[in-house]
Amino acid sequence: MLYKFTKSILLLLFFVVAGVAVVNGQHVYKTELKEDVGANSWRIIKKSYDQAIKEQADYFLVEMNTFGGAVNFADSIRSLLLNAEMKTVVYVNNNAASAGTLIALASDYIFMHSGASLGAASVVNQQGEIMPEKYQSYMRGLMRATAEAKGRDPKMAEAFVDPSIALPAWKEDGKILTFTASEAVKANLAKAEVKQMEEIYASLDIAAPKVQNYERTWVDSIIGLLVNPLVSGLLIMGIIGGIYFELQTPGIGFALGVALVAATLFFAPLYLQGLADHWEIALFVLGVILLALEVFVIPGFGIAGVLGIIFVLCGLAFSMLANDYFDFKVSQPGLLMNSFLIVIGAMVLSIILMVIFGKNILNTSAFKRLVLADEQRADSGYTSSVPKVNLLNKEGIARTVLRPSGKIEVDGVWYDAVALDGFIDAGENIYVEKHENYNLFVRKLSDRPAAAEVSKEA
């Protein structure tokens, strides 16, 4: 009797301990990388990993199907996996090319779906052309270091990039190494070839796994949409169009609001993704300020206007890709030219649309309801241009703030005028000093030279 009781207690203790082990040691946190490796994929992987840490997961599993992408973001994901606080698993289903190979090598375990491939990690541009040696050398170093860190063959990892590496058992001389699933297993690079996720858990001796998937939120979806090049181009059109209408019709407010909203939607996701930096946003803002100065302060179109266009162009283009200030080697080759093409194309299209539809938009009833549309009629004392009368040395009053342009009243008639001293407050007495090309230039009456007073009295 005592023997049976003791045996029951021991069995109960065994199952309790085993159950605790299963509960505490079989938590798998799963995420996906099924797009080009870039800012958005890095953000999702980082969020997934942070959530896995929070949930105290024992395994971090990335299901991968990518043809590669930007090396700098691939390196960020690589570093995360190398320094992970839990076991990491990459399940290649169905492609892990280029940057995807680098990420896979950084994991503790690689599993490949039947028919999957891994390799071909040479650095190429947007047209698929092999880039110069400096890019390949950097990638070879990353591959070697990653393989060594996880106990894999560094020479084999380097052969994914360099066709000159001799591996007679796996590839022809002069060819870049690419593995099928079965070849990767035979080469001890992948742990197993599988057809479904349950086979991975069985291979890792994970009994009754508690699998938790990262669920993409609506914020993730919106950010992913906003960083799409097509959407970025449309937002740039909104920025340029809003700035144009605001400069053409200062004070309307609505156009400026459109530009600000478009700029926020353009820069915010890029800033969150780690692409847009403070200096790039500041460069764009400085460009807008220079354009405003050119229009409202500096007559003609000169250096300020040209620099303003250049700064706006560069601020938008640089924000769309990773760079270390003006060093773009960390970005995927060809992206710099692509980003400039997107920005220039959006600007040109904006100008064309504004030329074609600009006046019609301003005259629509819907647009007029959104802006201040008070008419300055002649019977109310307004005039659109300076009449051919002698207004030199005439005295009047500033009816609006001149900063430096604004409205003045002389002999009961309102005119557009420019303050020669840069600023005149509303209500101050003024006199007309110059009259050029239908423009009146005025100063404060208190600043009038004594010689002019004597001349007037004479």
Side-chain angles (χ1 to χ4, degrees), residues 90-234:
V90 167
Y91 172 35
V92 181
N93 182 22
N94 290 309
N95 297 288
S98 192
T101 302
L102 176 65
I103 295 169
L105 290 176
S107 65
D108 295 311
Y109 305 102
I110 300 175
F111 290 88
M112 298 182 66
H113 189 272
S114 298
S117 62
L118 179 146
S122 293
V123 183
V124 297
N125 59 19
Q126 294 291 298
Q127 289 72 42
E129 301 167 343
I130 300 295
M131 294 299 293
E133 170 59 22
K134 64 178 181 179
Y135 294 99
Q136 311 306 331
S137 176
Y138 178 73
M139 190 64 170
R140 285 198 302 268
L142 281 179
M143 299 291 280
R144 285 198 309 271
T146 306
E148 289 176 354
K150 291 299 180 180
R152 298 187 172 103
D153 186 352
K155 186 176 180 180
M156 189 175 292
E158 191 172 1
F160 286 127
V161 181
D162 191 346
S164 67
I165 301 296
L167 289 175
W170 303 111
K171 72 178 187 71
E172 299 178 20
D173 288 343
K175 300 291 184 179
I176 294 174
L177 179 62
T178 299
F179 276 142
T180 65
S182 59
E183 289 171 342
V185 173
K186 290 177 183 177
N188 294 319
L189 197 67
K191 185 172 177 62
E193 178 181 358
V194 299
K195 294 184 178 180
Q196 54 188 359
M197 197 71 67
E198 287 70 20
E199 295 179 46
I200 296 177
Y201 304 141
S203 179
L204 295 174
D205 296 325
I206 302 176
K210 176 188 174 184
V211 181
Q212 188 173 357
N213 294 290
Y214 175 77
E215 300 293 340
R216 295 202 178 198
T217 65
W218 63 271
V219 175
D220 296 329
S221 301
I222 290 176
I223 291 178
L225 175 65
L226 292 177
V227 297
N228 182 286
L230 176 60
V231 177
S232 295
L234 293 175

Side-chain angles (χ1 to χ4, degrees), residues 254-275:
F254 174 72
L256 180 60
V258 170
L260 289 175
V261 170
T264 300
L265 293 177
F266 177 83
F267 284 109
L270 295 176
Y271 184 81
L272 292 174
Q273 303 279 34
L275 291 176

Side-chain angles (χ1 to χ4, degrees), residues 60 97 143 168 207 220-221 229 240 251 255 261 275 292 317 320 368 436 438-439 444:
F60 183 62
M143 299 291 280
D220 296 329
S221 301
I240 301 303
V261 170
L275 291 176
M320 297 175 68
K368 289 180 178 179
E436 296 178 356
Y438 296 100
N439 292 319
K444 296 178 184 179

Side-chain angles (χ1 to χ4, degrees), residues 401-440:
V401 175
L402 278 72
R403 200 175 22 227
S405 60
K407 300 287 185 181
I408 64 169
E409 180 182 348
V410 178
D411 295 336
V413 181
W414 286 40
Y415 300 99
D416 294 316
V418 177
L420 289 171
D421 293 326
F423 179 84
I424 297 177
D425 205 352
E428 290 201 51
N429 294 321
I430 55 88
Y431 76 97
V432 179
E433 183 172 305
K434 289 196 302 181
H435 176 190
E436 296 178 356
N437 299 326
Y438 296 100
N439 292 319
L440 295 179

Side-chain angles (χ1 to χ4, degrees), residues 22 114 126 276 284 318 356 453:
V22 168
S114 298
Q126 294 291 298
F284 168 79
F318 292 164
I356 297 174
E453 295 287 349

Side-chain angles (χ1 to χ4, degrees), residues 163-444:
S164 67
I165 301 296
L167 289 175
W170 303 111
K171 72 178 187 71
E172 299 178 20
D173 288 343
K175 300 291 184 179
I176 294 174
L177 179 62
T178 299
F179 276 142
T180 65
S182 59
E183 289 171 342
V185 173
K186 290 177 183 177
N188 294 319
L189 197 67
K191 185 172 177 62
E193 178 181 358
V194 299
K195 294 184 178 180
Q196 54 188 359
M197 197 71 67
E198 287 70 20
E199 295 179 46
I200 296 177
Y201 304 141
S203 179
L204 295 174
D205 296 325
I206 302 176
K210 176 188 174 184
V211 181
Q212 188 173 357
N213 294 290
Y214 175 77
E215 300 293 340
R216 295 202 178 198
T217 65
W218 63 271
V219 175
D220 296 329
S221 301
I222 290 176
I223 291 178
L225 175 65
L226 292 177
V227 297
N228 182 286
L230 176 60
V231 177
S232 295
L234 293 175
L235 291 174
I236 292 171
M237 291 176 62
I239 295 171
I240 301 303
I243 293 173
Y244 171 82
F245 282 121
E246 182 64 27
L247 295 179
Q248 287 292 310
T249 317
I252 64 175
F254 174 72
L256 180 60
V258 170
L260 289 175
V261 170
T264 300
L265 293 177
F266 177 83
F267 284 109
L270 295 176
Y271 184 81
L272 292 174
Q273 303 279 34
L275 291 176
D277 207 347
H278 296 91
W279 70 272
E280 293 162 332
I281 298 174
L283 191 66
F284 168 79
V285 173
L286 179 59
V288 174
I289 292 174
L290 287 174
L291 287 174
L293 289 175
E294 186 71 36
V295 172
F296 297 116
V297 179
I298 307 172
F301 191 83
I303 295 178
V306 173
L307 288 178
I309 293 174
I310 293 174
F311 287 174
V312 167
L313 178 66
C314 292
L316 292 171
F318 292 164
S319 296
M320 297 175 68
L321 72 161
N323 64 87
D324 184 8
Y325 288 94
F326 294 101
D327 183 1
F328 299 95
K329 290 186 294 185
V330 296
S331 184
Q332 186 178 3
L335 284 184
L336 178 60
M337 180 61 67
N338 283 358
S339 63
F340 270 102
L341 289 176
I342 290 172
V343 175
I344 293 173
M347 284 184 170
V348 171
L349 186 57
S350 295
I351 293 171
I352 293 174
L353 292 176
M354 285 184 291
V355 169
I356 297 174
F357 302 109
K359 292 184 178 179
N360 294 331
I361 293 174
L362 289 173
N363 292 327
T364 59
S365 58
F367 188 84
K368 289 180 178 179
R369 285 197 296 268
L370 295 171
V371 302
L372 180 62
D374 291 340
E375 295 186 33
Q376 297 178 339
R377 303 175 62 88
D379 55 13
S380 299
Y382 292 95
T383 180
S384 60
S385 61
V386 180
K388 294 183 179 181
V389 296
N390 185 12
L391 295 176
L392 289 178
N393 294 319
K394 286 276 189 175
E395 296 179 5
I397 188 171
R399 286 304 181 186
T400 67
V401 175
L402 278 72
R403 200 175 22 227
S405 60
K407 300 287 185 181
I408 64 169
E409 180 182 348
V410 178
D411 295 336
V413 181
W414 286 40
Y415 300 99
D416 294 316
V418 177
L420 289 171
D421 293 326
F423 179 84
I424 297 177
D425 205 352
E428 290 201 51
N429 294 321
I430 55 88
Y431 76 97
V432 179
E433 183 172 305
K434 289 196 302 181
H435 176 190
E436 296 178 356
N437 299 326
Y438 296 100
N439 292 319
L440 295 179
F441 296 88
V442 302
R443 293 187 190 275
K444 296 178 184 179

